[in-house]
């Protein structure tokens, strides 16, 4: 405690003593001291204001990150840190003014409790003599006088200085002590509040001032203004309760400081807004917030959450009770079944294996598919994202197949119960691993199903580069592509080109900067003006995570553009093989479409989807790059005004492209 007194009490004591000498009144000195601290801290308040504006400005990007990487908290934190670094946002800047208040409060506490040392600068030996005399006069041991010992000395000296006159070397000191007047508006600010008037005012005023400050901040401080209702009022109630309690248990001088500090803070907020007006830095003063749910909607959400919890526990218990748990498939959501479909159908038809299909989507289509098939060898379970971590760590099976990479790197770990589980990875598309997956994303898998020779080359080269043990690589082909080719072959009348008007499918990826988010109007407008029928098929993950963005687009175009439609049901790939042309950015759907239908694609060179910044360490050129100008034409965003003419040219040369793509 003495070190705090030395580091904080002594320097702040000199400042307070100066304020007291200037004012000649203890209460006014407290007010001057409070104002002085606000002036000294004002640069930090300005820094916090700029930081708060940055936070509000990047809030939509933070929401995007949470949705884009939902369920992967480790990756969300990494992406948030990268965003903070790019935008120069610091959480520390936002709390600096509040953090600096802590040593100020501690220092002021020591000043008020130790006026003999900090206001009168009496020698420590004399102070101890006075404390010993106060102990004799009151019959209270020095140890029990404690933190308020110097205040007790002041009280006794001012009441009866004769009781201390006999002490050696205290003559002038007694005069100094008697000269200090700690009264302010009828109360002694060195005393703790009581239920008597007007002392009771101090905790009341402290709480009221906190309420006034909170209400002002909720309306005018950009960070509070854009916060949710629960956050606003939760913080308000906390500050009011804390301020009232703080002023009730400490001397009234501190209550006066806290009350004045709250009121001065209103002026600080006003000045910060005047200097750094949020309206000048943001497109809108208060970003749109999600509409508050009604009481009935909140009740329904809670009921659904409880029901899903019960369902999850039942399915986990059913999985644990199953005797034959050799083969497990894990699916992130309903849209991923198509990647497993060919394997599952083959296994059910050609083996005796029981398939345990675990999904984190309560509405996954596999529940109805398995129910229709009514085969005991196909069991489906719902395990939500939060429970999945524990489920995977306790997994007991022989083989697990999954399309989720980064095993062991983030929230999904290999089983702790059974060390010899064979983990098998199969990808979402025909693209490259070293560009579209994070670095070392497959290190902890035992087996990889390879769709083409590019996958084998990339993995073997990565093993050499990173000195990794060889994985088992299975030449599996891509069952989804096989199904697409079969659909085209079996439905020539539906797959035939040449319908009027021609249909163009816009099928973007869902990485940041995709067509829907960066250049949708520039892409679709020339095609509609050229007379094409345009179908927009967003990536399933984009719809899942950013449904609000899709709804905005649908609402904007639905009534005014009869030749434009949005396909949000991904249970069928019919539009993929019946389109005359596909427009995409970095999605591998172009490879599926062009190889399956033998028709060209248009690639828009949006910001390249790069999950591994070190992808160029491998000599193998990713298919996403090498095939762009072989399967069609690539355009930069600034060239989109001529996409209609490009589409005309590609469709007119469909026979030429059929031959070259087939070759």
């Amino acid at each position: 405690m003495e070190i705090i007194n030395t580091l904080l009490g002594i320097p702040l004591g000199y400042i307070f003593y100066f304020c007291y000498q200037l004012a000649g009144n203890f209460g006014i000195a407290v007010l001057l001291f409070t104002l002085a601290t606000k002036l000294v801290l004002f640069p930090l308040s300005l820094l916090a204001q700029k930081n708060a504006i940055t936070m509000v400005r990047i809030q939509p990007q933070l929401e995007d990150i949470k949705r884009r990487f939902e369920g992967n908290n480790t990756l969300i934190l990494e992406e948030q840190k990268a965003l903070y670094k790019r935008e120069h946002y610091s959480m520390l800047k936002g709390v600096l003014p509040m953090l600096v208040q802590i040593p100020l409060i501690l220092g002021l506490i020591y000043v008020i409790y130790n006026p003999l040392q900090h206001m009168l600068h009496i020698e420590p030996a004399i102070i101890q003599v006075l404390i010993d005399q106060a102990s004799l006069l009151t019959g209270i041991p020095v140890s029990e006088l404690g933190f308020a010992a110097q205040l007790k000395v002041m009280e006794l000296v001012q009441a009866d200085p004769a009781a201390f006159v006999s002490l050696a070397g205290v003559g002038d000191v007694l005069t100094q002590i008697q000269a200090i007047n700690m009264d302010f508006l009828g109360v002694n600010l060195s005393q703790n509040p009581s239920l008597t008037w007007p002392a009771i005012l101090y905790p009341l005023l402290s709480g009221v001032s906190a309420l006034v400050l909170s209400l002002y901040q909720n309306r005018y401080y950009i960070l509070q203004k854009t916060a949710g209702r629960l956050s606003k009022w939760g913080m308000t109630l906390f500050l009011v309760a804390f301020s009232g309690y703080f002023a009730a248990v400490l001397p009234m001088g501190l209550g006066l400081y806290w009350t004045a500090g709250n009121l001065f803070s209103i002026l600080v907020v006003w000045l910060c807004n005047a200097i750094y007006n949020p309206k000048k830095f943001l497109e809108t003063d208060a970003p749109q917030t999600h509409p508050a749910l009604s009481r009935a909607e909140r009740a329904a959400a809670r009921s659904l959450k409880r029901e899903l919890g019960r369902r999850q526990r039942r399915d986990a218990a059913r999985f644990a009770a199953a005797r034959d748990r050799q083969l497990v498939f894990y699916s992130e959501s309903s849209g991923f079944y198509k990647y497993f479909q060919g394997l599952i159908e083959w296994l059910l038809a050609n083996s005796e294996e029981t398939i345990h299909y675990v999904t984190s989507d309560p509405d996954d289509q596999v529940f109805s598919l398995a129910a229709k098939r009514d085969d005991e060898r196909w069991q489906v379970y719902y395990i939500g994202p939060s429970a999945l971590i524990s489920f995977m760590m306790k997994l007991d099976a022989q083989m697990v197949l999954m399309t989720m990479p980064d095993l062991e790197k983030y929230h999904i770990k290999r089983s702790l119960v059974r060390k010899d589980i064979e983990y098998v990875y199969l990808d979402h598309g025909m693209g490259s691993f070293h560009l579209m997956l994070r670095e070392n994303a497959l290190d902890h898998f035992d087996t990889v199903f390879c769709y083409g020779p590019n996958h084998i080359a990339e993995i073997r080269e990565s093993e050499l580069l990173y000195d990794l043990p060889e994985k088992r690589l299975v030449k599996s082909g891509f069952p989804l592509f096989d199904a697409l080719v079969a659909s085209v072959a079996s439905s020539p009348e539906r797959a035939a080109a040449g319908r009027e008007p021609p249909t163009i499918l816009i099928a973007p990826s869902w990485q940041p900067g995709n067509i829907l988010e960066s250049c949708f109007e520039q892409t679709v407008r020339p095609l509609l003006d050229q007379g094409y029928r345009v179908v927009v098929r967003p990536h399933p993950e984009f719809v899942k995570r950013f449904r609000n963005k899709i709804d905005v687009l649908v609402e904007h175009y639905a009534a005014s553009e009869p030749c434009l439609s949005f396909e949000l049901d991904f249970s069928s790939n019919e539009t993929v093989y019946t389109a005359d042309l596909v427009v995409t950015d970095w999605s591998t759907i172009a490879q599926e479409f062009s190889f399956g239908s033998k028709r060209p694609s248009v690639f828009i060179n949006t910001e390249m989807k790069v999950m591994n910044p070190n992808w160029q360490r491998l000599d193998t050129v990713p298919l996403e790059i090498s095939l762009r100008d072989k399967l069609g034409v690539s355009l930069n965003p600034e060239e989109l005004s001529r996409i209609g003419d490009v589409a005309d040219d590609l469709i007119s040369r469909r026979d030429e492209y059929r031959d070259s793509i087939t070759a």
Side-chain angles (χ1 to χ4, degrees):
M1 299 296 286
E2 186 59 34
I3 190 171
I4 297 177
N5 186 37
T6 301
L7 294 177
L8 301 177
I10 291 176
L12 290 178
Y14 279 102
I15 297 173
F16 190 86
Y17 179 73
F18 173 78
C19 293
Y20 179 75
Q21 292 296 315
L22 188 66
N25 179 280
F26 191 84
I28 296 177
V30 170
L31 297 178
L32 287 176
F33 179 84
T34 308
L35 181 59
T37 60
K38 292 298 179 184
L39 290 174
V40 170
L41 297 181
F42 187 69
L44 294 182
S45 298
L46 274 180
L47 188 65
Q49 171 82 352
K50 293 173 66 176
N51 203 57
I53 292 172
T54 300
M55 167 52 72
V56 174
R57 181 169 52 79
I58 66 174
Q59 193 62 46
Q61 297 177 63
L62 290 172
E63 291 295 328
D64 278 6
I65 288 172
K66 290 177 183 178
R67 293 176 184 174
R68 208 174 296 276
F69 304 108
E70 183 179 4
N72 192 335
N73 292 333
T74 305
L75 187 54
I76 287 174
L77 288 175
E78 286 188 4
E79 293 292 328
Q80 286 178 339
K81 288 179 181 177
L83 176 61
Y84 291 160
K85 185 175 181 180
R86 288 196 306 271
E87 299 294 337
H88 306 290
Y89 171 80
S90 168
M91 296 180 68
L92 180 61
K93 293 177 185 176
V95 298
L96 264 180
M98 191 184 309
L99 291 177
V100 176
Q101 284 287 349
I102 296 174
L104 286 176
I105 288 292
L106 290 175
L108 188 59
I109 288 174
Y110 274 93
V111 170
I112 290 179
Y113 272 109
N114 300 279
L116 305 183
Q117 177 186 3
H118 297 304
M119 293 183 64
L120 300 179
H121 304 113
I122 299 173
E123 294 180 6
I126 299 298
I127 293 175
Q128 189 60 52
V129 169
L130 293 171
I131 291 174
D132 292 339
Q133 181 67 6
S135 176
L136 288 173
L137 293 173
T138 59
I140 302 174
V142 172
S143 60
E144 293 184 17
L145 287 174
F147 208 56
Q150 293 188 31
L151 291 177
K152 177 58 71 174
V153 169
M154 284 191 62
E155 177 187 342
L156 294 174
V157 169
Q158 292 182 345
D160 183 16
F164 293 85
V165 171
S166 61
L167 300 176
V170 300
D172 294 338
V173 168
L174 296 179
T175 304
Q176 290 177 297
I177 294 175
Q178 287 178 287
I180 292 182
N181 181 10
M182 301 188 76
D183 288 348
F184 183 68
L185 300 179
V187 296
N188 187 336
L189 294 182
S190 68
Q191 295 178 353
N192 283 16
S194 64
L195 296 178
T196 61
W197 183 268
I200 194 174
L201 272 176
Y202 284 84
L204 292 176
L205 288 174
S206 183
V208 170
S209 66
L211 176 61
V212 173
L213 172 62
S214 296
L215 293 176
Y216 188 86
Q217 286 180 324
N218 288 346
R219 186 168 182 179
Y220 295 108
Y221 179 47
I222 186 65
L223 210 54
Q224 281 294 102
K225 184 177 180 179
T226 57
R229 181 177 300 178
L230 181 62
S231 174
K232 286 181 180 179
W233 289 107
M235 181 60 68
T236 297
L237 292 174
F238 169 77
L239 288 176
V240 170
F242 175 80
S243 297
Y245 177 79
F246 177 85
V249 299
L250 293 171
M252 284 179 278
L254 289 163
L256 178 61
Y257 168 81
W258 197 256
T259 301
N262 287 337
L263 297 178
F264 286 146
S265 292
I266 295 175
L267 179 60
V268 169
V269 173
W270 182 85
L271 286 172
C272 286
N273 280 336
I275 296 172
Y276 289 114
N277 189 339
K279 293 180 181 179
K280 295 181 180 179
F281 296 91
L282 302 172
E283 292 182 2
T284 176
D285 185 30
Q288 294 294 321
T289 56
H290 298 294
L293 298 177
S294 66
R295 181 176 298 180
E297 289 172 330
R298 291 196 300 270
R302 289 193 296 269
S303 177
L304 177 61
K305 184 177 180 180
R306 288 193 295 269
E307 173 55 34
L308 289 178
R310 289 191 291 267
R311 178 180 170 186
Q312 181 175 257
R313 289 190 291 273
R314 288 195 302 267
D315 280 9
R318 183 162 57 87
F319 179 86
R323 287 180 295 179
D324 179 16
R325 296 199 307 271
Q326 302 301 308
L327 184 60
V328 176
F329 286 77
Y330 170 67
S331 172
E332 299 167 59
S333 68
S334 183
F336 289 85
Y337 170 68
K338 58 180 175 283
Y339 305 117
F340 299 120
Q341 182 177 359
L343 303 176
I344 290 174
E345 290 179 351
W346 191 94
L347 287 167
L348 291 174
N350 297 278
S351 77
E352 298 299 322
E353 292 291 340
T354 298
I355 295 168
H356 297 276
Y357 194 100
V358 178
T359 176
S360 293
D361 184 350
D363 300 316
D364 199 312
Q365 61 180 312
V366 295
F367 289 106
S368 60
L369 292 174
K372 288 179 183 177
R373 192 176 185 101
D374 193 24
D375 189 335
E376 290 186 357
R377 292 171 48 234
W378 190 10
Q379 298 294 319
V380 186
Y381 312 86
Y382 165 65
I383 304 294
S386 58
L388 182 66
I389 299 172
S390 173
F391 179 85
M392 286 295 194
M393 292 178 72
K394 296 185 293 185
L395 190 62
D396 183 3
Q398 182 173 326
M399 179 180 286
V400 178
L401 289 89
M402 55 200 296
T403 63
M404 178 185 286
D406 298 302
L407 182 66
E408 280 288 315
K409 290 185 67 177
Y410 297 111
H411 60 304
I412 302 302
K413 310 293 184 183
R414 291 181 68 107
S415 173
L416 298 178
V417 172
R418 184 167 175 176
K419 300 295 186 180
D420 63 343
I421 295 179
E422 183 173 3
Y423 285 86
V424 180
Y425 177 77
L426 54 156
D427 202 62
H428 301 153
M430 299 160 62
S432 66
F433 289 153
H434 68 298
L435 179 68
M436 293 301 179
L437 299 181
R438 280 173 285 275
E439 191 170 23
N440 308 120
L442 304 182
D443 285 4
H444 296 280
F445 284 92
D446 305 292
T447 299
V448 178
F449 281 10
C450 299
Y451 298 161
N454 61 309
H455 283 172
I456 295 175
E458 290 169 5
I459 291 177
R460 292 300 183 223
E461 192 175 344
S462 294
E463 289 169 349
L464 290 174
L465 178 64
Y466 295 104
D467 193 23
L468 300 171
E470 282 197 355
K471 294 176 175 57
R472 177 157 54 160
L473 305 183
V474 178
K475 297 179 180 179
S476 65
F478 189 19
L480 180 61
F481 176 65
D482 296 338
L484 180 63
V485 172
S487 296
V488 173
S490 63
S491 306
E493 70 286 350
R494 289 196 299 169
R499 296 171 308 283
E500 293 297 335
T503 298
I504 294 181
L505 177 67
I506 298 179
S509 57
W510 65 284
Q511 87 277 3
N514 63 73
I515 292 173
L516 293 179
E517 294 178 296
S518 65
C519 56
F520 181 69
E521 172 66 17
Q522 299 94 311
T523 302
V524 73
R525 179 56 51 198
L527 297 173
L528 292 172
D529 291 344
Q530 207 87 346
Y532 286 107
R533 174 176 174 262
V534 178
V535 177
V536 181
R537 183 182 170 98
H539 193 286
E541 282 299 299
F542 190 86
V543 176
K544 169 187 168 185
R545 299 168 191 265
F546 305 104
R547 185 58 190 248
N548 59 322
K549 296 184 179 182
I550 293 296
D551 291 341
V552 168
L553 289 174
V554 172
E555 182 179 357
H556 179 72
Y557 288 98
S560 60
E561 298 295 345
C563 290
L564 174 65
S565 61
F566 289 81
E567 183 176 282
L568 305 179
D569 180 0
F570 306 105
S571 58
S572 169
N573 280 331
E574 181 173 347
T575 53
V576 178
Y577 61 74
T578 58
D580 292 272
L581 189 72
V582 156
V583 176
T584 188
D585 37 41
W586 294 94
S587 171
T588 56
I589 195 171
Q591 297 171 31
E592 299 166 19
F593 167 78
S594 289
F595 283 128
S597 68
K598 309 302 186 293
R599 298 175 201 142
S601 297
V602 175
F603 300 90
I604 300 177
N605 297 327
T606 59
E607 179 182 352
M608 189 165 70
K609 182 180 180 181
V610 177
M611 300 301 292
N612 173 18
N614 296 317
W615 64 274
Q616 290 176 305
R617 295 184 66 186
L618 269 67
D619 293 332
T620 304
V621 179
L623 286 184
E624 289 82 358
I625 296 174
S626 64
L627 291 178
R628 286 175 90 78
D629 292 321
K630 294 180 180 180
L631 298 181
V633 173
S634 59
L635 294 173
N636 294 324
E638 59 269 19
E639 299 176 294
L640 286 174
S641 60
R642 63 185 187 91
I643 190 173
D645 295 333
V646 171
D648 287 346
D649 178 63
L650 292 177
I651 292 175
S652 69
R653 296 163 55 199
R654 64 170 64 94
D655 293 339
E656 177 186 335
Y657 271 101
R658 182 179 60 247
D659 294 340
S660 65
I661 291 172
T662 300

